[in-house]
Amino acid sequence: MVITKTHSLAQKNMATETLLIKHILLLMLAQCAALLPLLEQLPWWMLLLCLTLFFTRIQIVKRKILPINQYIKFSLVLVTVSLLLISSDSGYSLHSFVVLLVLTMCLKIIELTSKRDYILMVFLGCFISASQLLFANSLIAFFYVIFCLLLLHVCLLQLCCEPHKPLLNATVSIQQQSINQWRYIKKLLLLFLQALPIAVVFFLVIPKIGSLWQVPLHSKAAKTGMTDSLSAGDIAKLNQDNSAAMRITFDNVGKIDNAQLYWRGLVLEDFDGKTWRRSAQRLAPISAAKTSEITSTNSRINYQVMLENTDQPWLYALNTATTSNSKIAQWQNYSLTKRENLQNRFQYNVQSYPDYVDSSDLSALEYQKLTALPKNENPKTRQYAVALAQKFSDKQQIIDAIMQKFNEQFTYTLAPGRMSTTHGIDDFLFAKKRGYCEHFASTTAFILRAAGIPSRIAAGYQGGQWSSDNRYLLVTQAAAHAWVEVWLAGKGWVRLDPTAAVAPQRIESGASDYLAQLTQGSSLVSSLSQTSLMRQLRLRWDNVNYQWHRWVLGYDNKLQLALVTRFLGGIDAWRIGLLLLSVLSLMLIPLFIKRVIGLPKKKESDVIVRLRKLDKVLAKIDLAREKGETLNAFLQRAAEHSSINKPALMAIAATANQLLYDTDAGRSACLHQLDTLIEQVKNSR
């Protein structure tokens, strides 16, 4: 029993001693690398806590201080958990679970005293690295996660593959440590390359299943894009944002002119004098009869939209859109919404019928709602609208007069200045005469309503940039746009874009080209970002990301079925099993050749054979030759640690040098002398 306890204690001590400062430093580097992409999601004090605890652990190991007291540990847990509860505002969500996981890893540093603790820290780091993909799943984010995982596995290899030699570690030089680190990296890369084919095959053939449970993800990351209201300046804030809003792939359709690309998302019908909002009344779903009427129209455009995460439910499509996706609701105003807010990138197939005309009449209640205006707001604009209504009996003439006024007297600009806070539309129409798309759309809708013509605001995006290979259309946040929809008897809802009257280049050439002209010379950064070279580079990089999102992140059961059927001729179990067996066999062939058949080995010299025999003898007394250590240095060190063998070892060094470097020496006699000296080495110090 005593022997067993002593042996267990020795094993425990050995495990503790192998945690050297270099191990902790490398683990600290790996954990901090894993935390960097999560800094926006974590409380400000979390990274500081991690670094403080790591440096504390290093000082304990370096100065051989007693472990942290249990009361201090308990107090630290209470303080950090209290701080977490105070600083957390996400409630029950994946975000809060990730923060809790990071806090668990930080607190585990306190007990980082053995191999088991070290390995657990590595595994926690792997989970934290993978959690980055909950908040960003771009190609760069994926490769950064791979880098973090490789770095963590280097920590694991350094700990598990390095022999336990406490007496020799202190003498290892920095150069030797670098050689060892490179050896671990090469071994890890080899393991990674060996596992890569199996991972690819599993990705291609293993059935894709949904999550077993759903937990909401409330990220602190700021979302950009259209909101459910529109005020002066809202869209102008997006004009310098070149991040992707969505990407569209058309089926059997060539390039479409920018002037036809109105990506309709929101319909804003309520106006309080400053802000347009979605109707407070609940919309009714579109009827089956109306859907049948729309789909009977001859013109149809089929396309797929890949919409970026907006944390909002509304979707974007061309006029007039229908879809068979059960996750999408279709409304009477021809808008589309997802049944819950987007939490991730969302792909959906849409069919649009741009030539469809809804000639149904408005009800008295709808007419009243769509001509309603707040009282005592913008009196000059009201008078102007009444004058137009008295002058022209035809509604189209009123519209033409408004467009002509914009075309002759107004300027399209990204910096229109502040409007009056009381009567902003009056100030814009009769004083400033400079504005962005939302100024023109809001003013036009106000005039039309004041003239008794039903109107509303449509918000979304206009135009887009074709990818570098012309396979899909990229719509950025800078393409955000607002226009007017006016109801005309016999024609239904007609799109009216006053921006086209003021700045037709914005509609015809697209937001990217036109905004580049407007911002040219405004600043060095803006000028460089809008150069042709930078725009082409952005398009090429976006093309890479698009293919990644479409074929990797968007690889679902439908794509999997088509791919497997194409390459294997079917989805039978025996076909998939045969594929897995083939890949596994290809990986095992090199190992079979090396271990079973064997590769020809280079014949070692007589001196090397004898020195290997000496290594085995010295290994029994815990003396081993370091990689890169010369023979003389090793024998000198061995002689210092084994006084009983010192004469024999020094004689072996002299004889070996004579055999290796003195060609005139009697080789046969020297070899016999070397054998005799090796036999004299004793298995004790």
Side-chain angles (χ1 to χ4, degrees):
M1 179 66 70
V2 175
I3 296 175
T4 304
K5 289 183 177 180
T6 305
H7 180 68
S8 300
L9 183 60
Q11 284 186 329
K12 183 177 180 180
N13 291 337
M14 181 178 292
T16 305
E17 289 175 358
T18 52
L19 287 186
L20 303 176
I21 293 178
K22 65 177 183 179
H23 297 144
I24 301 175
L25 283 174
L26 185 58
L27 181 62
M28 181 177 69
L29 174 64
Q31 297 287 16
C32 290
L35 291 181
L36 282 179
L38 296 173
L39 287 183
E40 193 174 2
Q41 318 298 331
L42 300 175
W44 62 269
W45 49 268
M46 193 75 76
L47 182 61
L48 182 62
L49 174 67
C50 178
L51 291 173
T52 302
L53 293 178
F54 263 120
F55 281 116
T56 303
R57 173 53 55 189
I58 290 173
Q59 292 302 317
I60 290 175
V61 174
K62 185 177 181 180
R63 303 179 183 277
K64 297 182 180 180
I65 305 173
L66 291 176
I68 299 177
N69 187 279
Q70 295 294 331
Y71 295 105
I72 298 178
K73 292 181 183 179
F74 183 72
S75 302
L76 183 61
V77 171
L78 284 181
V79 170
T80 52
V81 171
S82 301
L83 282 173
L84 181 61
L85 293 175
I86 294 172
S87 58
S88 177
D89 56 357
S90 55
Y92 178 74
S93 67
L94 279 177
H95 172 258
S96 60
F97 290 156
V98 171
V99 175
L100 185 61
L101 177 64
V102 174
L103 179 60
T104 303
M105 183 274 294
C106 293
L107 294 177
K108 184 61 182 175
I109 302 172
I110 306 173
E111 298 181 341
L112 185 58
T113 58
S114 65
K115 270 189 176 182
R116 181 182 300 174
D117 299 327
Y118 194 92
I119 294 172
L120 180 58
M121 286 282 294
V122 171
F123 288 159
L124 284 173
C126 291
F127 278 106
I128 292 172
S129 299
S131 67
Q132 301 170 26
L133 298 178
L134 293 172
F135 308 99
N137 49 20
S138 65
L139 188 61
I140 293 179
F142 173 77
F143 280 109
Y144 187 79
V145 169
I146 295 295
F147 166 75
C148 292
L149 293 176
L150 290 176
L151 190 57
L152 286 163
H153 281 75
V154 169
C155 298
L156 201 59
L157 282 176
Q158 178 183 253
L159 180 72
C160 298
C161 298
E162 189 174 79
H164 172 67
K165 295 183 288 291
L167 293 177
L168 304 180
N169 280 332
T171 63
V172 179
S173 64
I174 297 177
Q175 181 180 3
Q176 183 61 38
Q177 292 180 17
S178 301
I179 294 174
N180 291 338
Q181 295 291 348
W182 177 239
R183 179 168 53 118
Y184 300 137
I185 293 173
K186 288 194 295 184
K187 183 180 294 186
L188 183 62
L189 292 176
L190 179 61
L191 293 172
F192 175 79
L193 292 176
Q194 289 175 338
L196 186 60
I198 296 180
V200 171
V201 173
F202 280 179
F203 173 79
L204 294 176
V205 302
I206 295 296
K208 303 294 181 289
I209 60 175
S211 302
L212 299 179
W213 60 86
Q214 292 289 336
V215 180
L217 173 63
H218 300 298
S219 172
K220 292 183 180 179
K223 304 290 191 309
T224 184
M226 306 296 299
T227 60
D228 59 353
S229 62
L230 180 67
S231 302
D234 285 351
I235 292 181
K237 295 175 183 177
L238 299 174
N239 72 87
Q240 295 297 324
D241 187 356
N242 290 309
S243 62
M246 56 185 174
R247 302 172 180 87
I248 301 95
T249 306
F250 293 94
D251 295 343
N252 302 322
V253 177
K255 276 192 174 183
I256 302 177
D257 293 338
N258 268 296
Q260 302 176 18
L261 296 174
Y262 281 83
W263 304 102
R264 188 173 180 268
L266 291 161
V267 178
L268 311 175
E269 298 176 344
D270 294 344
F271 183 58
D272 61 5
K274 296 180 178 62
T275 303
W276 291 85
R277 291 184 173 85
R278 301 174 74 197
S279 176
Q281 298 179 0
R282 181 175 175 83
L283 288 174
I286 194 169
S287 64
K290 182 65 70 174
T291 302
S292 178
E293 179 184 333
I294 294 172
T295 55
S296 63
T297 309
N298 291 329
S299 62
R300 184 176 74 174
I301 302 175
N302 297 328
Y303 52 98
Q304 182 189 68
V305 179
M306 180 189 290
L307 182 63
E308 294 295 312
N309 179 19
T310 61
D311 202 25
Q312 305 290 350
W314 45 83
L315 308 177
Y316 300 89
L318 301 174
N319 287 356
T320 302
T322 64
T323 180
S324 58
N325 193 326
S326 60
K327 297 180 180 179
I328 298 176
Q330 305 175 76
W331 306 102
Q332 282 184 341
N333 61 6
Y334 307 115
S335 62
L336 304 175
T337 62
K338 199 169 181 288
R339 300 195 183 277
E340 65 277 343
N341 287 5
L342 272 69
Q343 296 296 337
N344 294 291
R345 185 178 291 102
F346 182 56
Q347 296 187 48
Y348 53 98
N349 293 314
V350 191
Q351 301 81 42
S352 284
Y353 301 84
D355 295 339
Y356 171 74
V357 176
D358 185 0
S359 57
S360 56
D361 293 332
L362 294 177
S363 66
L365 183 61
E366 289 175 324
Y367 192 93
Q368 181 182 2
K369 176 183 178 181
L370 293 166
T371 55
L373 288 173
K375 295 180 179 180
N376 303 322
E377 290 283 345
N378 303 293
K380 291 184 179 180
T381 306
R382 289 175 185 269
Q383 294 175 6
Y384 173 71
V386 171
L388 286 178
Q390 294 174 349
K391 183 177 181 179
F392 302 106
S393 58
D394 186 10
K395 294 179 180 179
Q396 186 60 51
Q397 290 179 318
I398 297 176
I399 293 172
D400 292 341
I402 298 172
M403 295 302 102
Q404 183 177 1
K405 181 179 180 66
F406 285 152
N407 179 261
E408 294 175 352
Q409 303 177 17
F410 285 73
T411 303
Y412 185 91
T413 177
L414 301 180
R418 293 180 61 86
M419 303 294 173
S420 171
T421 56
T422 53
H423 303 297
I425 291 179
D426 281 354
D427 189 25
F428 169 72
L429 188 62
F430 298 104
K432 294 291 180 22
K433 298 185 178 183
R434 293 164 55 85
Y436 203 60
C437 63
E438 62 263 41
H439 296 95
F440 293 104
S442 180
T443 302
T444 302
F446 189 96
I447 295 172
L448 291 173
R449 287 193 174 190
I453 303 174
S455 59
R456 61 194 185 190
I457 299 290
Y461 299 90
Q462 195 281 321
Q465 307 171 67
W466 288 97
S467 63
S468 55
D469 55 4
N470 294 325
R471 292 187 178 181
Y472 70 93
L473 186 77
L474 169 65
V475 179
T476 64
Q477 296 294 348
H481 193 55
W483 59 94
V484 179
E485 291 181 344
V486 56
W487 189 86
L488 301 175
K491 296 181 180 180
W493 287 104
V494 178
R495 182 175 66 233
L496 175 62
D497 190 355
T499 302
V502 183
Q505 306 93 329
R506 161 64 181 86
I507 307 303
E508 295 170 1
S509 61
S512 178
D513 292 338
Y514 187 66
L515 293 176
Q517 298 174 14
L518 290 181
T519 57
Q520 187 175 9
S522 59
S523 68
L524 179 61
V525 176
S526 298
S527 300
L528 290 176
S529 64
Q530 295 296 343
T531 59
S532 176
L533 175 61
M534 291 301 297
R535 287 160 58 192
Q536 285 298 319
L537 289 176
R538 282 199 298 266
L539 286 176
R540 290 185 181 277
W541 175 243
D542 185 80
N543 195 358
V544 173
N545 274 296
Y546 173 71
Q547 301 303 332
W548 166 258
H549 293 310
R550 188 179 185 189
W551 299 110
V552 178
L553 299 181
Y555 185 72
D556 54 11
N557 288 327
K558 184 178 179 181
L559 282 175
Q560 184 183 57
L561 180 63
L563 184 65
V564 173
T565 303
R566 178 181 177 184
F567 285 100
L568 298 183
I571 55 172
D572 305 293
W574 69 269
R575 297 177 189 270
I576 297 177
L578 184 61
L579 175 63
L580 294 175
L581 184 61
S582 301
V583 174
L584 187 60
S585 300
L586 289 174
M587 293 185 60
L588 292 177
I589 286 175
L591 296 177
F592 177 80
I593 294 175
K594 182 177 180 181
R595 297 195 178 270
V596 179
I597 300 177
L599 297 175
K601 296 182 179 180
K602 183 178 179 181
K603 187 177 180 180
E604 295 180 338
S605 66
D606 297 335
V607 180
I608 300 300
V609 170
R610 286 162 172 79
L611 291 178
R612 290 194 183 281
K613 181 180 179 181
L614 176 64
D615 288 339
K616 293 179 180 179
V617 175
L618 294 177
K620 295 179 181 179
I621 55 175
D622 292 334
L623 290 172
R625 186 175 176 183
E626 294 291 336
K627 186 174 181 180
E629 187 177 21
T630 64
L631 177 62
N632 283 339
F634 170 55
L635 292 176
Q636 179 68 33
R637 179 167 55 81
E640 292 175 358
H641 287 88
S642 179
S643 57
I644 191 173
N645 292 315
K646 184 173 183 179
L649 292 174
M650 298 307 295
I652 289 173
T655 305
N657 286 332
Q658 191 175 9
L659 281 168
L660 293 172
Y661 306 112
D662 189 357
T663 57
D664 296 332
R667 188 169 187 81
S668 178
C670 288
L671 288 173
H672 179 71
Q673 183 181 358
L674 188 59
D675 289 332
T676 304
L677 291 171
I678 292 174
E679 292 294 335
Q680 294 176 4
V681 178
K682 303 183 184 304
N683 296 335
S684 62
R685 296 195 179 189

